[in-house]
Amino acid sequence: MPHRGSAPDRRVEIMSDDRHLVVVGASLAGLRAVEAARTEGFEGRITLIGAERHLPYDRPPLSKAYLDKSDEGPVSTEFRAESVITDQLDVKLLLGTAAVGLDTADRIVFLADGREVRYDALVIATGAQARSLPGTADLAGVHTLRTVDDAVSVRAALDAGARTVVIGAGFIGSEVASGARKRGLVPVVIEALPTPLVRAVGQEMGAVLASLHTRNGTDLRCGVGVASIEGDGRVQRVVLEDGTVIDADLVVVGAGAIPAVEWLEGAGLTIDNGVVCDENLWTGVVPHRVV
């Protein structure tokens, strides 16, 4: 989260057993928040809200081992069994429904299914979401790779021999291309910059990574952007800014991530490429503190 500068310690005091702690975001940060609350002796109610239907899981393996070709299928990346969260940590799980609004005055989290969850203290742990390309929301076969459902869909398409186009030669794009090559496919990787990963590793190392792509059979095209992604209900082609048309059954967009803060609009928080907070992760909302 962006930082607003030094301030007095404003840690939320929620130790009484009649308080309700709500954590929005059922990924690693949200899980660690509820674990920390119990470790510190909080005995009140805890509710963990997650937009996905899955228990908290590790995301980095989704673009790595999860996409490897294996007859046994991918290994689960869940952090904790459901019984650990619900029984040992005594946490109520509300999974599969996203938070869509927040009222900090009345201390209410609004969910997509119409439910309202009242809180005494709130942890915002919704993190980031993958950046998508405009006009592709209703086009089947176009994916980002942020969730386990994304990974399942991408893996299935690779197993089916999809003509694969990857937009972005960053870490995720490169890992998807590697998964395609392991299946004997020839993925096309589109990178708008002249050198892959130049911002992360520099020009010299970026050039080395580019050579790895080409030596391993990936069709790497740098220095050109995407003009459009086209198809009739399902993706059929990617059109580049230089006019090149690439046939595609699967398009994976690896264009980075953006803070997941849309649901906080109008809640009275300061939003600046994320939620602005102090060194104690307090947002400054008064009189009801939100962390």
Side-chain angles (χ1 to χ4, degrees), residues 11-16 21 32-44 46 89:
R11 296 171 185 165
V12 179
E13 298 177 359
I14 56 170
M15 301 308 291
S16 62
L21 170 63
R32 290 290 184 260
V34 302
E35 289 178 332
R38 291 306 189 207
T39 299
E40 292 298 316
F42 177 58
E43 297 180 352
I46 298 179
L89 294 173

Side-chain angles (χ1 to χ4, degrees), residues 23-24 40 65 68 73 121 128 209 227 245 266 271 276:
V23 179
V24 182
E40 292 298 316
D68 283 349
L209 296 175
V245 178
I271 306 295
V276 177

Side-chain angles (χ1 to χ4, degrees), residues 40-75:
E40 292 298 316
F42 177 58
E43 297 180 352
R45 292 182 298 138
I46 298 179
T47 299
L48 180 61
I49 298 171
E52 297 181 58
R53 57 187 174 87
H54 307 285
L55 294 168
Y57 61 87
D58 197 15
R59 295 185 188 276
L62 297 182
S63 59
K64 300 175 177 64
Y66 202 94
L67 293 185
D68 283 349
K69 184 174 176 59
S70 170
D71 294 335
E72 298 178 357
V75 177

Side-chain angles (χ1 to χ4, degrees), residues 30-226:
L31 177 62
R32 290 290 184 260
V34 302
E35 289 178 332
R38 291 306 189 207
T39 299
E40 292 298 316
F42 177 58
E43 297 180 352
R45 292 182 298 138
I46 298 179
T47 299
L48 180 61
I49 298 171
E52 297 181 58
R53 57 187 174 87
H54 307 285
L55 294 168
Y57 61 87
D58 197 15
R59 295 185 188 276
L62 297 182
S63 59
K64 300 175 177 64
Y66 202 94
L67 293 185
D68 283 349
K69 184 174 176 59
S70 170
D71 294 335
E72 298 178 357
V75 177
S76 171
T77 66
E78 289 179 358
F79 289 115
R80 301 284 185 269
E82 184 173 359
S83 61
V84 173
I85 300 174
T86 58
D87 298 339
Q88 295 183 27
L89 294 173
D90 192 18
V91 172
K92 180 180 180 180
L93 289 170
L94 295 181
L95 302 178
T97 182
V100 295
L102 174 63
D103 182 340
T104 56
D106 288 332
R107 292 177 289 181
I108 302 173
V109 176
F110 300 97
L111 304 184
D113 61 8
R115 284 181 289 179
E116 300 179 1
V117 181
R118 294 185 177 272
Y119 64 86
D120 294 297
L122 175 70
V123 174
I124 297 171
T126 42
Q129 61 192 33
R131 181 180 284 110
S132 59
L133 296 184
T136 61
D138 297 323
L139 201 57
V142 180
H143 299 276
T144 55
L145 187 48
R146 176 77 181 170
T147 71
V148 68
D149 291 333
D150 294 334
V152 167
S153 297
V154 170
R155 180 188 170 100
L158 293 176
D159 286 343
R163 296 172 296 179
T164 303
V165 176
V166 180
I167 299 174
F171 295 109
I172 287 180
S174 297
E175 289 158 355
V176 172
S178 175
R181 289 297 303 143
K182 289 176 180 178
R183 292 164 170 80
L185 307 178
V186 182
V188 180
V189 178
I190 310 300
E191 173 55 57
L193 296 175
T195 305
L197 284 167
V198 65
R199 293 170 180 162
V201 301
Q203 181 69 36
E204 184 175 354
M205 185 57 68
V208 172
L209 296 175
S211 69
L212 285 175
H213 274 299
T214 55
R215 288 206 309 270
N216 285 281
T218 296
D219 183 355
L220 177 64
R221 307 190 188 191
C222 293
V224 60
V226 174

